[in-house]
């Protein structure tokens, strides 16, 4: 099993839709989790950290499921500007961390 | 007031050449990273320096040599460039180690002909 796995998509959704991505990880000792956003031909930028109890930032909700070893990102009321690739990052013990391959989202007018 | 900057932004060169990419951060961070993002968009860590000390050194060819003259700079030198080195190279920095937010530079698009 890969350290971090994401469905690459693409996810094509209409404006206003709700879309969710999952990211699975293989090391149960992982402690830190993040979602980054990467626009085409740009650098990744932090979207949000993922806290154990789940956290929300506007239309974005991140959740952690330790039992099943995955994190999720939910985007409500999708905007055209949400079109990007979403990368999950998982920290492993020993200063190791891994990026997922990214999930591509296109929001269609 | 760019936080993490890289030069050059684009680099086109012939196989066998030696080239360097420079990275500087003005965030006062103590940890810097180099990543390679290939044509399939997979972002892979190459090196990480904390307080100028190498702490992550993934399996990369020894043609790649990072140099950190101080905490604000992490340069990447590549010898004997090969076609497979073509990719986008991102520099990043964070305060502390990888469990903190990383700030990425704009990337250097390297094309080896």
């Amino acid at each position: 099993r890969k350290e971090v796995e994401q469905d690459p998509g693409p996810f094509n959704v209409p404006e206003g839709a709700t879309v969710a991505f999952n990211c699975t990880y293989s090391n149960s000792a992982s402690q830190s989790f993040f979602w980054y956003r990467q626009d085409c031909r740009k650098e990744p930028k932090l979207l949000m950290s993922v806290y154990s109890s789940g956290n929300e930032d506007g239309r974005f909700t991140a959740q952690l499921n330790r039992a099943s070893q995955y994190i999720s990102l939910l985007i409500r009321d999708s905007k055209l500007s949400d079109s990007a690739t979403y990368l999950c990052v998982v920290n492993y013990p020993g200063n190791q961390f891994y990026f997922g391959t990214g999930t591509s989202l296109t929001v269609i007018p | 007031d760019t936080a993490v900057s890289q030069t050059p932004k684009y680099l086109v060169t012939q196989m066998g050449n030696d080239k360097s990419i420079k990275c500087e951060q003005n965030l006062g961070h103590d940890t810097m990273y180099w990543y390679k993002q290939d044509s399939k968009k997979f972002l892979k860590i190459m090196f990480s320096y904390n307080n100028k000390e190498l702490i992550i050194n993934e399996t990369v060819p020894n043609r790649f040599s990072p140099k950190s003259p101080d905490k604000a700079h992490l340069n990447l030198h590549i010898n004997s460039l090969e076609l497979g080195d073509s990719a986008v190279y991102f520099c990043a920095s964070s305060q502390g180690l990888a469990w903190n937010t990383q700030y990425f530079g704009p990337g250097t698009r390297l094309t080896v002909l």
Side-chain angles (χ1 to χ4, degrees), chain A residues 38-97:
Chain A
Q38 186 173 22
D39 292 295
C40 188
R41 302 179 78 87
K42 296 284 189 181
E43 70 274 22
K45 291 184 179 178
L46 179 72
L47 179 65
M48 57 198 304
S49 302
V50 185
Y51 302 125
S52 297
S53 54
N55 47 300
E56 191 173 303
D57 182 3
R59 298 181 293 108
F60 299 84
T61 301
Q63 291 195 309
L64 167 63
N65 185 318
R66 285 196 183 275
S68 300
Q69 293 181 205
Y70 72 86
I71 62 172
S72 64
L73 177 68
L74 180 80
I75 306 175
R76 289 182 299 279
D77 189 22
S78 299
K79 311 287 185 195
L80 295 178
S81 57
D82 294 334
S83 298
T85 296
Y86 292 84
L87 303 160
C88 66
V89 182
V90 179
N91 280 115
Y92 276 41
N95 293 333
Q96 298 294 317
F97 59 94

Side-chain angles (χ1 to χ4, degrees), chain A residues 4 32 34 36 38 40-46 49 85 87 89 91 94-102, chain B residues 10 33 35 37 40-43 45 48 55-56 58 90 97-107 109:
Chain A
V4 177
S32 300
F34 306 88
Y36 279 73
Q38 186 173 22
C40 188
R41 302 179 78 87
K42 296 284 189 181
E43 70 274 22
K45 291 184 179 178
L46 179 72
S49 302
T85 296
L87 303 160
V89 182
N91 280 115
N95 293 333
Q96 298 294 317
F97 59 94
Y98 298 91
F99 277 76
T101 51
Chain B
Y10 298 95
Y33 313 80
Y35 289 86
Q37 188 168 44
K40 295 183 179 176
K41 307 300 182 189
F42 181 51
L43 194 67
I45 181 79
S48 175
I55 56 168
I56 295 176
E58 293 296 316
F90 287 102
L97 295 172
W99 48 82
N100 285 324
T101 303
Q102 295 184 45
Y103 295 83
F104 284 79
R109 188 170 295 273

Side-chain angles (χ1 to χ4, degrees), chain B residues 5-23:
Chain B
S5 58
Q6 294 179 228
T7 54
K9 190 166 184 179
Y10 298 95
L11 185 52
V12 181
T13 188
Q14 300 283 339
M15 276 176 59
N17 284 350
D18 302 339
K19 290 293 178 185
S20 292
I21 307 172
K22 296 187 176 181
C23 178

